[in-house]
Amino acid sequence: MATNLDLPAALVTSPSFQVERVRRRTRDEVEPVLNSNGTTMREYWVLTCIVDQNAASQSHLSEMLAIDASDMVRLIDSLEKNGWASRERDPADRRRQIVAPTKEGTKMQAKLSKLVTAAEDRALDATTTKQLKHLRKLAKAILQEEG
């Protein structure tokens, strides 16, 4: 793999290039950990959201995570197949599906969260605590502006 010294300055200073490199590096550490536990990155995100909120509608999850509704159906199908989520009609609006974590799903999310954090730490091991703090602050600001 080329080092940053081999890259053109325009790429090294490009935020889009930098973000892509960080994304790829973290993905390369996180995905194998999730795959070895029978799940994917996007399934983990959905599971984390439903555990955090105790339940959410499919449409809210799609919007929150910027995942196409048809893809969200497949992700939730997989979570149900694993026994980590259940889907029920919203009694207030029969058109809506409410997705909730099962007890097994809540336990699995806690386990996966620890594994993901460790994988992210490995991916970013060359960074200092101060640099990580700045990265998290920047990412949070961008996400807040989006929403």
Side-chain angles (χ1 to χ4, degrees), residues 49-82:
C49 289
I50 63 173
V51 167
D52 181 70
Q53 298 180 4
N54 196 34
S57 72
Q58 285 183 200
S59 59
H60 177 71
L61 290 165
S62 292
E63 185 178 327
M64 181 171 41
L65 294 171
I67 295 174
D68 182 76
S70 61
D71 290 337
M72 182 59 68
V73 169
R74 286 187 287 279
L75 294 169
I76 295 168
D77 286 347
S78 182
L79 292 175
E80 281 187 312
K81 183 179 174 188
N82 285 330

Short mmCIF file of all heavy atoms in Angstrom, two decimals, residues 49-82:
data_model
loop_
_atom_site.label_atom_id
_atom_site.label_comp_id
_atom_site.label_asym_id
_atom_site.label_seq_id
_atom_site.Cartn_x
_atom_site.Cartn_y
_atom_site.Cartn_z
N CYS A 49 -29.67 0.98 17.13
CA CYS A 49 -30.75 1.97 17.19
C CYS A 49 -31.97 1.44 17.93
O CYS A 49 -32.54 2.15 18.77
CB CYS A 49 -31.15 2.42 15.79
SG CYS A 49 -29.92 3.46 14.99
N ILE A 50 -32.36 0.21 17.64
CA ILE A 50 -33.57 -0.30 18.30
C ILE A 50 -33.31 -0.60 19.77
O ILE A 50 -34.22 -0.47 20.60
CB ILE A 50 -34.22 -1.49 17.57
CG1 ILE A 50 -33.30 -2.70 17.51
CG2 ILE A 50 -34.69 -1.07 16.19
CD1 ILE A 50 -33.95 -3.96 16.95
N VAL A 51 -32.11 -0.98 20.12
CA VAL A 51 -31.79 -1.19 21.53
C VAL A 51 -31.77 0.16 22.25
O VAL A 51 -32.33 0.30 23.33
CB VAL A 51 -30.44 -1.93 21.70
CG1 VAL A 51 -29.94 -1.87 23.14
CG2 VAL A 51 -30.58 -3.38 21.25
N ASP A 52 -31.14 1.16 21.64
CA ASP A 52 -31.05 2.48 22.25
C ASP A 52 -32.43 3.11 22.46
O ASP A 52 -32.69 3.73 23.48
CB ASP A 52 -30.19 3.39 21.37
CG ASP A 52 -30.04 4.78 21.95
OD1 ASP A 52 -29.35 4.92 22.99
OD2 ASP A 52 -30.63 5.74 21.38
N GLN A 53 -33.31 2.93 21.48
CA GLN A 53 -34.64 3.55 21.54
C GLN A 53 -35.72 2.60 22.05
O GLN A 53 -36.87 2.99 22.16
CB GLN A 53 -35.02 4.09 20.16
CG GLN A 53 -34.06 5.16 19.70
CD GLN A 53 -34.42 5.71 18.34
OE1 GLN A 53 -35.43 5.35 17.73
NE2 GLN A 53 -33.59 6.59 17.84
N ASN A 54 -35.35 1.37 22.33
CA ASN A 54 -36.24 0.30 22.78
C ASN A 54 -37.20 -0.17 21.69
O ASN A 54 -37.69 -1.28 21.75
CB ASN A 54 -37.00 0.67 24.05
CG ASN A 54 -37.60 -0.54 24.72
OD1 ASN A 54 -37.03 -1.62 24.69
ND2 ASN A 54 -38.76 -0.37 25.31
N ALA A 55 -37.48 0.65 20.70
CA ALA A 55 -38.30 0.28 19.54
C ALA A 55 -38.30 1.46 18.58
O ALA A 55 -38.10 2.59 18.99
CB ALA A 55 -39.73 -0.05 19.97
N ALA A 56 -38.52 1.16 17.33
CA ALA A 56 -38.59 2.22 16.32
C ALA A 56 -39.34 1.70 15.11
O ALA A 56 -39.35 0.50 14.84
CB ALA A 56 -37.18 2.67 15.92
N SER A 57 -39.94 2.62 14.39
CA SER A 57 -40.62 2.20 13.16
C SER A 57 -39.58 1.97 12.07
O SER A 57 -38.48 2.53 12.10
CB SER A 57 -41.62 3.26 12.70
OG SER A 57 -40.94 4.39 12.19
N GLN A 58 -39.93 1.10 11.12
CA GLN A 58 -39.02 0.83 10.01
C GLN A 58 -38.69 2.12 9.26
O GLN A 58 -37.54 2.34 8.89
CB GLN A 58 -39.64 -0.18 9.05
CG GLN A 58 -39.62 -1.58 9.55
CD GLN A 58 -40.18 -2.56 8.54
OE1 GLN A 58 -40.56 -3.64 8.93
NE2 GLN A 58 -40.25 -2.24 7.27
N SER A 59 -39.70 2.95 9.04
CA SER A 59 -39.46 4.18 8.28
C SER A 59 -38.54 5.13 9.04
O SER A 59 -37.68 5.78 8.44
CB SER A 59 -40.78 4.87 7.93
OG SER A 59 -41.51 5.19 9.09
N HIS A 60 -38.70 5.20 10.35
CA HIS A 60 -37.82 6.06 11.16
C HIS A 60 -36.38 5.54 11.09
O HIS A 60 -35.43 6.33 10.94
CB HIS A 60 -38.30 6.09 12.61
CG HIS A 60 -37.42 6.89 13.52
ND1 HIS A 60 -37.33 8.26 13.45
CD2 HIS A 60 -36.57 6.50 14.50
CE1 HIS A 60 -36.47 8.68 14.36
NE2 HIS A 60 -35.99 7.63 15.01
N LEU A 61 -36.20 4.23 11.17
CA LEU A 61 -34.86 3.65 11.08
C LEU A 61 -34.24 3.95 9.72
O LEU A 61 -33.06 4.31 9.64
CB LEU A 61 -34.92 2.14 11.31
CG LEU A 61 -35.23 1.69 12.74
CD1 LEU A 61 -35.61 0.22 12.76
CD2 LEU A 61 -34.06 1.98 13.65
N SER A 62 -35.03 3.80 8.66
CA SER A 62 -34.53 4.09 7.30
C SER A 62 -34.06 5.52 7.19
O SER A 62 -32.98 5.80 6.66
CB SER A 62 -35.62 3.84 6.26
OG SER A 62 -35.92 2.49 6.16
N GLU A 63 -34.88 6.42 7.69
CA GLU A 63 -34.54 7.85 7.62
C GLU A 63 -33.32 8.17 8.48
O GLU A 63 -32.40 8.86 8.04
CB GLU A 63 -35.74 8.68 8.07
CG GLU A 63 -35.53 10.17 7.92
CD GLU A 63 -36.76 10.96 8.34
OE1 GLU A 63 -37.89 10.47 8.15
OE2 GLU A 63 -36.58 12.06 8.87
N MET A 64 -33.31 7.68 9.70
CA MET A 64 -32.23 7.98 10.64
C MET A 64 -30.88 7.49 10.13
O MET A 64 -29.87 8.17 10.27
CB MET A 64 -32.56 7.36 12.00
CG MET A 64 -31.54 7.62 13.07
SD MET A 64 -32.07 7.10 14.73
CE MET A 64 -32.87 5.56 14.46
N LEU A 65 -30.87 6.29 9.56
CA LEU A 65 -29.61 5.68 9.12
C LEU A 65 -29.32 5.91 7.63
O LEU A 65 -28.30 5.43 7.14
CB LEU A 65 -29.64 4.18 9.43
CG LEU A 65 -29.65 3.83 10.91
CD1 LEU A 65 -29.89 2.33 11.10
CD2 LEU A 65 -28.36 4.27 11.59
N ALA A 66 -30.21 6.61 6.94
CA ALA A 66 -30.06 6.88 5.51
C ALA A 66 -29.90 5.57 4.73
O ALA A 66 -29.00 5.40 3.92
CB ALA A 66 -28.88 7.82 5.25
N ILE A 67 -30.81 4.64 5.02
CA ILE A 67 -30.83 3.34 4.36
C ILE A 67 -32.17 3.22 3.62
O ILE A 67 -33.22 3.49 4.20
CB ILE A 67 -30.67 2.18 5.37
CG1 ILE A 67 -29.28 2.25 6.02
CG2 ILE A 67 -30.90 0.84 4.71
CD1 ILE A 67 -29.06 1.23 7.13
N ASP A 68 -32.11 2.83 2.36
CA ASP A 68 -33.31 2.66 1.55
C ASP A 68 -34.30 1.72 2.25
O ASP A 68 -33.91 0.74 2.88
CB ASP A 68 -32.91 2.08 0.19
CG ASP A 68 -34.09 1.91 -0.73
OD1 ASP A 68 -34.55 2.93 -1.27
OD2 ASP A 68 -34.57 0.76 -0.87
N ALA A 69 -35.58 2.05 2.14
CA ALA A 69 -36.62 1.28 2.83
C ALA A 69 -36.60 -0.21 2.47
O ALA A 69 -36.79 -1.06 3.34
CB ALA A 69 -38.00 1.87 2.53
N SER A 70 -36.36 -0.54 1.20
CA SER A 70 -36.34 -1.95 0.81
C SER A 70 -35.11 -2.66 1.42
O SER A 70 -35.20 -3.82 1.80
CB SER A 70 -36.35 -2.11 -0.71
OG SER A 70 -35.22 -1.50 -1.28
N ASP A 71 -34.00 -1.96 1.52
CA ASP A 71 -32.83 -2.53 2.18
C ASP A 71 -33.09 -2.72 3.68
O ASP A 71 -32.67 -3.70 4.27
CB ASP A 71 -31.59 -1.65 1.99
CG ASP A 71 -31.07 -1.65 0.57
OD1 ASP A 71 -31.36 -2.62 -0.17
OD2 ASP A 71 -30.38 -0.68 0.20
N MET A 72 -33.82 -1.76 4.27
CA MET A 72 -34.13 -1.85 5.70
C MET A 72 -34.97 -3.10 5.97
O MET A 72 -34.76 -3.79 6.98
CB MET A 72 -34.87 -0.59 6.15
CG MET A 72 -35.19 -0.57 7.64
SD MET A 72 -33.73 -0.68 8.72
CE MET A 72 -32.95 0.88 8.40
N VAL A 73 -35.90 -3.41 5.10
CA VAL A 73 -36.73 -4.61 5.27
C VAL A 73 -35.83 -5.85 5.34
O VAL A 73 -35.99 -6.69 6.23
CB VAL A 73 -37.76 -4.75 4.13
CG1 VAL A 73 -38.43 -6.12 4.15
CG2 VAL A 73 -38.81 -3.65 4.23
N ARG A 74 -34.87 -5.94 4.44
CA ARG A 74 -33.96 -7.09 4.43
C ARG A 74 -33.09 -7.13 5.70
O ARG A 74 -32.83 -8.21 6.24
CB ARG A 74 -33.08 -7.07 3.18
CG ARG A 74 -33.84 -7.48 1.92
CD ARG A 74 -32.92 -7.63 0.72
NE ARG A 74 -32.44 -6.36 0.19
CZ ARG A 74 -33.12 -5.57 -0.62
NH1 ARG A 74 -34.34 -5.93 -1.00
NH2 ARG A 74 -32.62 -4.44 -1.07
N LEU A 75 -32.63 -5.97 6.17
CA LEU A 75 -31.82 -5.93 7.39
C LEU A 75 -32.63 -6.40 8.59
O LEU A 75 -32.14 -7.19 9.41
CB LEU A 75 -31.29 -4.51 7.63
CG LEU A 75 -30.29 -3.99 6.60
CD1 LEU A 75 -30.05 -2.49 6.78
CD2 LEU A 75 -28.99 -4.76 6.68
N ILE A 76 -33.86 -5.94 8.68
CA ILE A 76 -34.72 -6.35 9.80
C ILE A 76 -35.09 -7.82 9.68
O ILE A 76 -35.14 -8.54 10.69
CB ILE A 76 -35.96 -5.44 9.90
CG1 ILE A 76 -35.51 -4.01 10.25
CG2 ILE A 76 -36.93 -5.95 10.95
CD1 ILE A 76 -36.59 -2.96 10.10
N ASP A 77 -35.32 -8.30 8.47
CA ASP A 77 -35.57 -9.73 8.26
C ASP A 77 -34.42 -10.55 8.85
O ASP A 77 -34.63 -11.56 9.53
CB ASP A 77 -35.70 -10.07 6.78
CG ASP A 77 -37.02 -9.62 6.16
OD1 ASP A 77 -37.96 -9.26 6.91
OD2 ASP A 77 -37.09 -9.61 4.91
N SER A 78 -33.20 -10.12 8.59
CA SER A 78 -32.02 -10.82 9.09
C SER A 78 -31.94 -10.77 10.62
O SER A 78 -31.63 -11.77 11.27
CB SER A 78 -30.75 -10.24 8.47
OG SER A 78 -29.62 -10.95 8.92
N LEU A 79 -32.24 -9.61 11.19
CA LEU A 79 -32.24 -9.49 12.66
C LEU A 79 -33.30 -10.41 13.27
O LEU A 79 -33.06 -11.04 14.30
CB LEU A 79 -32.47 -8.04 13.08
CG LEU A 79 -31.36 -7.04 12.76
CD1 LEU A 79 -31.78 -5.62 13.14
CD2 LEU A 79 -30.05 -7.42 13.45
N GLU A 80 -34.47 -10.49 12.62
CA GLU A 80 -35.52 -11.40 13.10
C GLU A 80 -35.07 -12.86 13.00
O GLU A 80 -35.28 -13.64 13.92
CB GLU A 80 -36.80 -11.20 12.30
CG GLU A 80 -37.61 -10.01 12.72
CD GLU A 80 -38.96 -9.95 12.01
OE1 GLU A 80 -38.99 -10.11 10.77
OE2 GLU A 80 -39.97 -9.74 12.71
N LYS A 81 -34.45 -13.20 11.87
CA LYS A 81 -33.97 -14.56 11.66
C LYS A 81 -32.96 -14.96 12.74
O LYS A 81 -32.95 -16.10 13.21
CB LYS A 81 -33.33 -14.68 10.27
CG LYS A 81 -32.86 -16.06 9.92
CD LYS A 81 -32.26 -16.08 8.52
CE LYS A 81 -31.64 -17.44 8.24
NZ LYS A 81 -30.89 -17.44 6.99
N ASN A 82 -32.11 -14.00 13.16
CA ASN A 82 -31.14 -14.26 14.23
C ASN A 82 -31.77 -14.26 15.62
O ASN A 82 -31.10 -14.59 16.60
CB ASN A 82 -30.01 -13.21 14.20
CG ASN A 82 -29.04 -13.45 13.07
OD1 ASN A 82 -28.82 -14.57 12.65
ND2 ASN A 82 -28.44 -12.37 12.58
#
